[in-house]
């Protein structure tokens, strides 16, 4: 069991080689569920959605040019130069829109049956319902005590792990005092902190399930029951914050981020058409089957930073795992947001990088 395993220091992450060796040993001792590879398919719906959005953007630019530059054109006598450009943009915006619709229709009406897995609805009962909870934390001294206690007091939680991402305040000490098993991840970055959480939690073999969450009090332990209800149907249960009655009115997720999150989720869903329904690519709260997580960890790149959750979901689907979404409650955080929800511009930038990773792969985003 994990209690008998000790790293040389709680500050030090295992090296890449030793980490792979540990996971390999755990894989060898774990009974795996047979998974069917999704195969390689061209994501026509994904490309169609992007082409449609590009064409729509061209059209709006052309319309705005016609309205905003009308007076300068007349005053400066540039009608003969600018009007043809304006007309060209509006006219040819229809080309990517038409191709986008054609690609989408081809994928949905013709190719869909080849992409959706021809398998029965999965139901694999849980032999053990207890979980290990792993919380990410970065300068969360004001919230970590209550966050740890909330999960420690849940009857199905065997232990709570907190990985502090080299916090400069009392996060580490307060987490330990509240009853958590604490580690300090010295390498900066959200992806490295999450990866360390998953790695540490996966080493406990007295549970079959791992719950990943945050230490800022935006999530609650009582939602574990909902995640468990969905667990028999998949390998990973991703919490979604997109159900309005379950969202506190004063969260850091602005309306722009809320709908942008759904949009990126639908792009990822289109990439893996017929495999999952995705409305939230930014939530940390999720449940993982330990055997599936041990298989997935070697394929993840912890160097992917704020886009790591989208990377996790994309990689899990690409590896043939079954991904389910579950609505969870979302609350006002304690303290100041330090991730992708700092402001709308930060959220927009993270969203663009997620789209880049979904379309072109995640290696270029690793830093």
């Amino acid at each position: 069991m994990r209690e008998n395993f000790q790293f040389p220091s709680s500050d030090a992450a295992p090296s890449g080689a030793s980490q792979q060796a540990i996971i390999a040993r755990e894989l060898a001792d774990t009974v795996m569920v047979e998974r069917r590879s999704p195969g390689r398919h061209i994501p026509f719906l994904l490309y169609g959605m992007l082409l449609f959005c590009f064409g729509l953007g061209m059209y709006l630019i052309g319309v705005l040019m016609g309205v905003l530059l009308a007076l300068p054109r007349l005053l400066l006598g540039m009608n003969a130069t600018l009007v043809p450009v304006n007309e060209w943009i509006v006219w040819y915006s229809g080309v990517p829109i038409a191709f986008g619709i054609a690609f989408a229709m081809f994928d949905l009406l013709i190719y869909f049956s080849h992409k959706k897995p021809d398998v029965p609805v999965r139901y694999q009962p849980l032999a053990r319902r207890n979980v290990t909870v792993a919380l990410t934390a970065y300068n969360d001294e004001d919230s970590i005590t209550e966050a740890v206690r909330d999960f420690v007091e849940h009857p199905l939680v065997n232990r709570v792990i907190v990985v502090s991402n080299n916090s400069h305040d009392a996060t580490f000490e307060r987490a330990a005092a509240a009853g958590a098993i604490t580690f300090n991840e010295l390498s900066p970055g959200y992806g490295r902190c999450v990866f360390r959480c998953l790695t540490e939690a996966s080493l406990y073999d007295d549970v079959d399930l791992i719950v990943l969450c945050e230490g800022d009090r935006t999530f609650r332990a009582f939602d574990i029951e909902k995640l468990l209800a969905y667990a028999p149907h998949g390998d990973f249960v991703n919490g979604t914050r997109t159900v309005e009655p379950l969202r506190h009115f004063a969260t850091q997720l602005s309306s722009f981020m809320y709908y942008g999150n759904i949009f990126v989720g639908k792009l990822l869903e289109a990439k893996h058409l017929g495999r999952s329904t995705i409305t939230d690519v930014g939530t940390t709260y999720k449940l993982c089957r330990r055997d599936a997580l041990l298989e997935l960890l070697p394929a993840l790149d912890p160097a992917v930073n704020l886009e790591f959750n989208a990377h996790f979901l994309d990689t899990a689907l690409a590896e043939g795992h079954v991904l389910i979404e579950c609505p969870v409650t979302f609350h006002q955080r304690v303290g100041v947001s330090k991730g992708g929800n700092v402001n709308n511009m930060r959220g927009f930038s993270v969203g663009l990088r997620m789209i880049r990773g979904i379309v072109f792969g995640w290696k270029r985003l690793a830093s």
Side-chain angles (χ1 to χ4, degrees), residues 135-179:
L135 304 178
T136 63
Y138 175 65
N139 291 341
D140 287 321
E141 64 178 5
D142 293 333
S143 60
I144 196 64
T145 298
E146 288 302 314
V148 170
R149 287 175 179 169
D150 184 30
F151 284 99
V152 165
E153 292 171 1
H154 195 285
L156 293 177
V157 174
N158 279 21
R159 66 188 59 82
V160 175
I161 294 170
V162 171
V163 175
S164 169
N165 196 196
N166 201 22
S167 298
H168 304 303
D169 59 8
T171 297
F172 190 89
E173 293 77 14
R174 293 185 183 183

Side-chain angles (χ1 to χ4, degrees), residues 279-292:
T279 61
D280 194 341
V281 291
T283 180
T284 303
Y285 207 1
K286 53 179 60 68
L287 180 145
C288 313
R289 284 184 178 264
R290 180 173 176 267
D291 60 341

Side-chain angles (χ1 to χ4, degrees), residues 20-297:
Q20 294 291 338
I22 292 168
I23 294 173
R25 288 198 300 270
E26 294 292 332
L27 275 169
D29 296 335
T30 305
V31 177
M32 297 299 174
V33 176
E34 183 179 355
R35 309 190 199 286
R36 186 174 294 186
S37 172
R40 299 177 69 90
H41 298 289
I42 299 174
F44 287 107
L45 179 58
L46 170 63
Y47 298 151
M49 292 171 66
L50 293 173
L51 283 170
F52 183 88
C53 291
F54 178 74
L56 184 60
M58 282 182 62
Y59 177 80
L60 292 175
I61 289 172
V63 171
L64 286 174
M65 284 180 61
V67 173
L68 298 178
L69 298 180
L71 186 59
R73 286 202 314 261
L74 293 173
L75 294 177
L76 300 176
M78 298 182 67
N79 261 344
T81 303
L82 293 180
V83 168
V85 175
N86 197 171
E87 292 176 344
W88 186 93
I89 293 175
V90 172
W91 177 262
Y92 284 100
S93 67
V95 175
I97 289 176
F99 273 101
I101 293 174
F103 278 21
M105 291 299 99
F106 177 77
D107 224 2
L108 292 172
L109 301 180
I110 298 175
Y111 211 29
F112 181 78
S113 60
H114 298 282
K115 292 188 173 184
K116 185 172 176 61
D118 183 15
V119 295
V121 174
R122 176 173 167 179
Y123 183 76
Q124 184 185 357
L126 303 176
R128 297 182 291 187
R129 289 171 55 83
N130 286 53
V131 303
T132 291
V133 173
L135 304 178
T136 63
Y138 175 65
N139 291 341
D140 287 321
E141 64 178 5
D142 293 333
S143 60
I144 196 64
T145 298
E146 288 302 314
V148 170
R149 287 175 179 169
D150 184 30
F151 284 99
V152 165
E153 292 171 1
H154 195 285
L156 293 177
V157 174
N158 279 21
R159 66 188 59 82
V160 175
I161 294 170
V162 171
V163 175
S164 169
N165 196 196
N166 201 22
S167 298
H168 304 303
D169 59 8
T171 297
F172 190 89
E173 293 77 14
R174 293 185 183 183
I181 302 168
T182 52
F183 297 91
N184 192 26
E185 175 54 55
L186 298 178
S187 300
Y190 173 76
R192 296 188 185 280
C193 187
V194 170
F195 190 83
R196 182 77 183 273
C197 277
L198 297 173
T199 301
E200 296 293 346
S202 68
L203 298 176
Y204 291 92
D205 59 5
D206 62 333
V207 297
D208 297 328
L209 304 166
I210 293 161
V211 170
L212 176 69
C213 197
E214 298 183 39
D216 59 7
R217 293 291 285 155
T218 50
F219 300 107
R220 297 291 187 267
F222 56 69
D223 278 319
I224 288 177
E225 301 285 351
K226 284 189 283 187
L227 297 173
L228 287 169
Y230 284 79
H233 302 296
D235 299 308
F236 301 102
V237 183
N238 189 53
T240 176
R241 305 162 293 175
T242 58
V243 178
E244 284 290 6
L246 302 184
R247 293 203 310 141
H248 190 273
F249 72 96
T251 69
Q252 72 269 29
L253 200 64
S254 68
S255 295
F256 175 79
M257 297 179 195
Y258 174 83
Y259 289 105
N261 187 29
I262 294 175
F263 175 72
V264 178
K266 290 306 170 184
L267 289 179
L268 182 57
E269 181 181 329
K271 179 179 180 178
H272 301 280
L273 184 61
R275 301 281 316 291
S276 187
T277 299
I278 304 171
T279 61
D280 194 341
V281 291
T283 180
T284 303
Y285 207 1
K286 53 179 60 68
L287 180 145
C288 313
R289 284 184 178 264
R290 180 173 176 267
D291 60 341
L293 181 60
L294 287 169
E295 285 186 333
L296 182 63
L297 280 173

